[in-house]
C-alpha cells in the first residue's frame, strides 16, 4: 500500500469517522426529539405547535441523510485511490 493510501486511511479512522458519527447522532437525536415534541403537542391539541415537531423531524432526517451521503462519498474517494 502506498503512503498516500495509508495517510488517507489514518485520517479517515482518526478524524473523519468520529466527526461523521457525532453529527449523525445529532441528527438522530433531533429526529427523536421532533417525534416526541410532535406527539406531546398532538396529545395537548396544540395545532400550531405541531409544526415545530415536524420541522425537527425533517431537519433530523435531512442531517442523517447528509451524513450518510458524506460517508459514502468518502468511501468512494478512498476506493478510487486504492
Amino acid at each position: 500500500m502506498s503512503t498516500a493510501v495509508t495517510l488517507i486511511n489514518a485520517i479517515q479512522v482518526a478524524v473523519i469517522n468520529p466527526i461523521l458519527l457525532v453529527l449523525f447522532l445529532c441528527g438522530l437525536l433531533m429526529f427523536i426529539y421532533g417525534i416526541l415534541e410532535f406527539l406531546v403537542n398532538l396529545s395537548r391539541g396544540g395545532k400550531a405547535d405541531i409544526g415545530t415537531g415536524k420541522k425537527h423531524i425533517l431537519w433530523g432526517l435531512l442531517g442523517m441523510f447528509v451524513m450518510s451521503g458524506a460517508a459514502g462519498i468518502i468511501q468512494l474517494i478512498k476506493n478510487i485511490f486504492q
Side-chain angles (χ1 to χ4, degrees), residues 12-71:
Q12 181 185 9
V13 170
V15 178
I16 296 173
N17 285 347
I19 290 172
L20 288 177
L21 180 62
V22 167
L23 292 175
F24 186 85
L25 289 175
C26 288
L28 180 64
L29 290 175
M30 180 64 74
F31 176 73
I32 292 170
Y33 175 73
I35 290 174
L36 293 174
E37 185 178 26
F38 178 80
L39 292 175
V40 166
N41 290 330
L42 187 66
S43 68
R44 290 182 185 165
K47 299 292 183 192
D49 295 333
I50 291 175
T52 58
K54 286 182 181 180
K55 287 180 186 178
H56 287 137
I57 292 171
L58 177 68
W59 284 109
L61 284 173
L62 184 65
M64 289 188 293
F65 178 75
V66 168
M67 289 304 108
S68 297

